[in-house]
Amino acid sequence: MSSKPRVAVLGARGRMGSEAVKAVTAAEDMELVAALDRDEKRETLTEAGAEVAVDLTHPDAVMGNLEFCVRNGIHAVVGTTGWTDERLATVRGWLAGSPATGVLIAPNFGIGAVLTMHFARQAARFFESVEIVELHHPGKADAPSGTAVRTARIIAEARRAAGCPPAPDATTTALDGARGAEVDGVPVHAVRLRGLVAHQEVLFGDEGEIFTLRHDSMNRGSFMPGVLLGIRRIGQTPGLTVGLEHFMDLGS
Ligand SMILES: NC(=O)C1=CN([C@@H]2O[C@H](COP(=O)(O)OP(=O)(O)OC[C@H]3O[C@@H](n4cnc5c(N)ncnc54)[C@H](O)[C@@H]3O)[C@@H](O)[C@H]2O)C=CC1
Ligand SMILES: O=C(O)C1=N[C@H](C(=O)O)C[C@H](O)C1
């Protein structure tokens, strides 16, 4: 990769993509070489000599974009949501054919959001109960958020490893959705409200004690230090990396 990575943004006219275009343009150690949105041809990436593509599009678009990038040896920094185990396995398969290429999938670029997940992993085994509430702007396509799904999986994994029993819940009758969506056994509740950007609470409970982790992104600029960190690191990180925490030297 060049000493100043040549960067393309996909989804460049969107809420996140337009912010990423500004952040990459303002960063002195990288160069914006392409800014694409829907209906613009992916070949622009190769024509422009892009070395890193930042994908901030839509769950329906991200797989096609990534396949193109990996096939052409373009590293990818992905904020787009909608990840399943099957999709991750497909990306690993593509990368096997292009072993020098790196893909970072970051459920959340907010430094505080990454720390929330890190601390949630540590707290998970100490409390009987845990539930997640994520709160977002009403323009969001997916529910629950990618961050909430990832947080729930991290918590569930930590609780399984510690041999924790399921959280207590005496509910025998409920309206559909009243107890949220179950992600790996953790209830996740999604709020969509005008005025919000991106917020999450992880609620842990035990006898006489509640422990809450809360993160608030007040604007989309809050995600940009994480996007830039991903661009700076992905060229030296071949293969698939899931989660920005791997670039943050957080220790265990
Ligand atoms: N990882 C993170 O920290 C964050 C991730 N996100 C995720 O990023 C994605 C985008 O979010 P927003 O910017 O709020 O959405 P948005 O709807 O404002 O922007 C998406 C943009 O992608 C464009 N697009 C759709 N298909 C495309 C394609 N095939 N090629 C190029 N562009 C295409 C759309 O025209 C639109 O301009 C969502 O999945 C969202 O959940 C959002 C905020 C933070
Ligand atoms: O769509 C959004 O806005 C966000 N999407 C990501 C998610 O689904 O977790 C990250 C952040 O929550 C904002």
Side-chain angles (χ1 to χ4, degrees), residues 120-146:
R121 186 194 300 279
Q122 294 174 324
R125 67 191 162 98
F126 293 106
F127 296 88
E128 238 195 323
S129 299
V130 55
E131 304 215 1
I132 297 172
V133 185
E134 58 94 329
L135 310 92
H136 281 83
H137 59 94
K140 184 164 176 56
D142 55 319
S145 70

Side-chain angles (χ1 to χ4, degrees), residues 13-38:
R13 288 199 294 272
R15 285 175 288 256
M16 276 291 282
S18 53
E19 204 64 46
V21 165
K22 281 192 272 173
V24 172
T25 304
E28 289 180 353
D29 59 342
M30 57 189 76
E31 189 185 350
L32 184 76
V33 296
L36 308 186
D37 206 273
R38 193 194 297 276

Side-chain angles (χ1 to χ4, degrees), residues 79 81 107-108 136-137 140-142 144-148 197-199 220 223:
T81 45
N108 201 308
H136 281 83
H137 59 94
K140 184 164 176 56
D142 55 319
S145 70
T147 307
V197 178
H199 317 259
R220 290 178 181 85
F223 300 112

